[in-house]
């Protein structure tokens, strides 16, 4: 039987690189039988990625829509990890799959920030508990009419683009991702390290006054495993029909930003790098200046929202995250040490 051809974007990135290495390490006979085309922007990336199962293809970038559509039409599966925000590339990849005369699968990467504004509330408000068996697309539609957000708009466009066609779409929606990636290029995502670096710069960690944000986390290895578990299910004979389309949550737990910054404070004070173990309470505006380039809306979405995303659909597929709260807490320590080594950045 001909090998199933999978097109992957973002193979040099943190998530995409880890997805690629996890695909290549999979022992599933279905996954071992796929061939992978990895779209990359530079020759040196292609040179590092090429192998018997990976064919790198150099392209100009996600705005090269003609190429994306053409290349996607030559594959049965597209895994798009390069950006959750780039609507046109998602549309072009889906349009390419739609040129095929058979069922095909589009796996998209999004993020739970899309839902954050549903939970922004007063400090004593309940944590909003969402599961992916609810109609999350409808929630995204409602939020989008109130205030547009590109990553959310892309999800909605993905779902409307595939409607009524033979392309099935699966949107993986990670919360805060942490841990060392296993790809050949980007190994980390900067969020916690940047926060530690900011504490070092000011001599004290900081938390947002009168806010108590709670959000999910997932280790990048667990996240990548979900892509592989999903793909394996889609490739199994007769199983694809039972895999529901749409949003897939993948949170392995939640963390509280106040406690996260307290941990940074404790580590820094213990190591005589910070003047106090207690974070300094700062205003939302100051936090936005320090942590989100002055963007108060993004700051509130990332650090003030209070919600959890229970991954019921992923669990139904058999996905089980291996990393737990201890790994998350250890990551804060690791990130602090990394910030100490590169104090000038950020
Ligand atoms: N990281 C997180 O914590 C997190 C959390 C939730 C959701 N997400 C979602 O996941 C997506 C990917 O995140 P990530 O952390 O893996 O990002 P990343 O490490 O920055 O990787 C991005 C990848 O996409 C490629 N890429 C970016 N822009 C491109 C363009 N215009 N044309 C062609 N290739 C392009 C990069 O290629 P080069 O190597 O050539 O630059 C790289 O391979 C985000 O956009 C977001 O929607 C991420």
């Amino acid at each position: 039987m001909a090998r199933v051809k999978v097109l992957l974007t973002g193979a040099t990135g943190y998530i995409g690189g880890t997805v690629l290495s996890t695909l290549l390490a999979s022992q599933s006979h279905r996954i071992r039988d796929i061939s992978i085309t990895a779209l990359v922007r530079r020759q040196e990336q292609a040179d590092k990625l090429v192998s018997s199962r990976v064919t790198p293809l150099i392209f100009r970038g996600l705005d090269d829509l003609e190429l994306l559509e053409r290349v996607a039409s030559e594959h049965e599966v597209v895994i798009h990890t390069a950006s959750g925000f780039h609507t046109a590339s998602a549309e072009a990849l889906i349009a390419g799959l739609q040129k095929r005369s058979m069922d095909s699968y589009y796996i998209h990467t999004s993020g739970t920030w899309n839902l954050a504004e549903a939970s922004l509330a007063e400090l004593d408000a309940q944590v909003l508990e969402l599961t992916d068996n609810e109609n999350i697309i409808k929630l995204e539609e409602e939020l989008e009419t109130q205030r547009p957000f590109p990553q959310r708009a892309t999800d909605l466009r993905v779902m409307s683009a595939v409607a009524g066609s033979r392309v099935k779409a699966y949107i993986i929606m990670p919360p805060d991702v942490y841990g060392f990636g296993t790809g050949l290029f980007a190994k980390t995502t900067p969020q916690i390290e940047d926060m530690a670096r900011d504490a070092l710069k000011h001599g004290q960690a900081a938390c947002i006054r009168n806010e108590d944000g709670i959000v999910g986390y997932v280790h990048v290895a667990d996240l990548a495993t979900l892509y592989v578990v999903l793909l394996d299910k889609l490739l199994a004979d007769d199983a694809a029909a039972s895999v529901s389309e749409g949003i897939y949550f993948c949170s392995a737990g939640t963390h509280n930003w106040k406690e996260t910054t307290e941990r940074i404070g404790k580590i820094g004070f213990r190591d005589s790098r910070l003047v106090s173990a207690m974070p300094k309470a700062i205003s939302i505006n100051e936090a936005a200046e320090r942590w989100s380039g002055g963007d108060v809306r993004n700051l509130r979405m990332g650090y003030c929202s209070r919600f959890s995303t229970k991954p019921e659909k992923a669990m139904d597929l058999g996905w089980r995250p291996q990393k737990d709260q201890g790994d998350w807490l250890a990551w804060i320590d690791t990130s602090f040490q990394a910030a100490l080594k590169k104090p000038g950045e950020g």
Side-chain angles (χ1 to χ4, degrees):
M1 210 179 94
R3 287 182 162 215
V4 172
K5 292 167 75 183
V6 175
L7 177 64
L8 175 67
T9 72
T12 57
Y14 175 56
I15 295 174
T18 308
V19 169
L20 179 58
S21 71
T22 310
L23 283 169
L24 294 175
S26 171
Q27 293 305 307
S28 155
H29 68 92
R30 287 180 288 268
I31 301 289
R32 279 206 313 261
D33 270 354
I34 64 174
S35 68
I36 302 169
T37 307
L39 283 169
V40 296
R41 288 194 274 195
R42 290 193 293 280
Q43 185 63 51
E44 62 269 27
Q45 297 170 328
D47 293 344
K48 271 185 96 169
L49 287 172
V50 69
S51 73
S52 59
R53 292 173 61 202
V54 181
T55 306
L57 186 64
I58 296 175
F59 76 141
R60 289 202 306 276
L62 294 178
D63 292 317
D64 193 347
L65 303 178
E66 217 173 290
L67 175 140
L68 289 178
E69 185 171 332
R70 178 170 49 75
V71 176
S73 74
E74 295 159 3
H75 292 77
E76 284 95 54
V77 180
V78 170
I79 303 178
H80 191 22
T81 71
S83 170
F85 293 80
H86 198 282
T87 310
S89 59
E91 286 174 325
L93 291 164
I94 290 168
L97 290 176
Q98 282 169 334
K99 288 186 168 159
R100 303 181 65 81
S101 55
M102 57 194 290
D103 287 348
S104 56
Y105 307 112
Y106 174 75
I107 303 177
H108 184 75
T109 308
S110 182
T112 58
W113 273 34
N114 295 6
L115 311 174
E117 283 162 321
S119 77
L120 283 169
E122 301 305 316
L123 187 60
D124 57 357
Q126 296 288 318
V127 175
L128 175 66
E129 292 178 358
L130 299 168
T131 81
D132 47 13
N133 274 321
E134 296 166 55
N135 193 341
I136 299 301
I137 292 293
K138 185 159 174 276
L139 175 60
E140 288 201 273
E141 281 167 356
E142 287 163 9
L143 292 169
E144 194 63 10
T145 55
Q146 290 161 23
R147 219 163 162 202
F149 180 59
Q151 188 179 246
R152 190 163 56 214
T154 307
D155 284 6
L156 295 174
R157 189 60 201 115
V158 164
M159 294 317 296
S160 63
V162 297
S165 77
R166 295 191 70 171
V167 180
K168 316 274 179 220
Y170 310 86
I171 299 177
I172 295 186
M173 195 180 258
D176 290 350
V177 187
Y178 76 96
F180 286 113
T182 52
L184 295 181
F185 299 88
K187 304 277 190 198
T188 58
T189 199
Q191 192 176 29
I192 301 296
E193 192 177 319
D194 282 353
M195 190 162 266
R197 195 172 291 115
D198 173 78
L200 287 166
K201 182 175 161 192
H202 291 86
Q204 188 175 3
C207 61
I208 307 172
R209 190 177 302 126
N210 297 333
E211 293 290 346
D212 195 18
I214 292 177
V215 290
Y217 57 69
V218 64
H219 193 283
V220 67
D222 284 328
L223 172 60
T225 299
L226 176 55
Y227 287 79
V228 178
V229 167
L230 173 61
L231 179 59
D232 192 40
K233 234 358 172 229
L234 293 174
L235 298 183
D237 284 344
D238 299 329
S242 67
V243 180
S244 76
E245 291 183 65
I247 303 287
Y248 278 73
F249 288 158
C250 47
S251 179
T254 55
H255 75 102
N256 167 313
W257 275 113
K258 202 156 163 289
E259 288 170 10
T260 297
T261 56
E262 280 171 8
R263 189 166 180 100
I264 291 174
K266 272 189 201 134
I267 303 163
F269 186 63
R270 180 199 66 197
D271 293 354
S272 308
R273 301 289 185 162
L274 302 177
V275 295
S276 167
M278 284 310 293
K280 180 183 174 194
I282 60 174
S283 69
I284 287 202
N285 285 339
E286 186 180 350
E289 286 304 323
R290 284 167 63 163
W291 303 338
S292 67
D295 187 328
V296 172
R297 182 189 180 198
N298 271 354
L299 185 280
R300 283 175 56 76
M301 289 164 85
Y303 299 93
C304 304
S305 53
R306 288 166 59 77
F307 70 117
S308 66
T309 49
K310 197 168 172 203
E312 291 182 344
K313 284 160 68 174
M315 293 289 198
D316 284 348
L317 294 180
W319 177 74
R320 298 286 181 273
Q322 301 299 306
K323 308 287 185 179
D324 59 18
Q325 193 194 22
D327 296 289
W328 163 255
L329 294 175
W331 181 248
I332 302 174
D333 304 17
T334 303
S335 300
F336 190 85
Q337 299 309 322
L340 275 178
K341 286 188 190 142
K342 295 180 282 175
E345 294 175 19

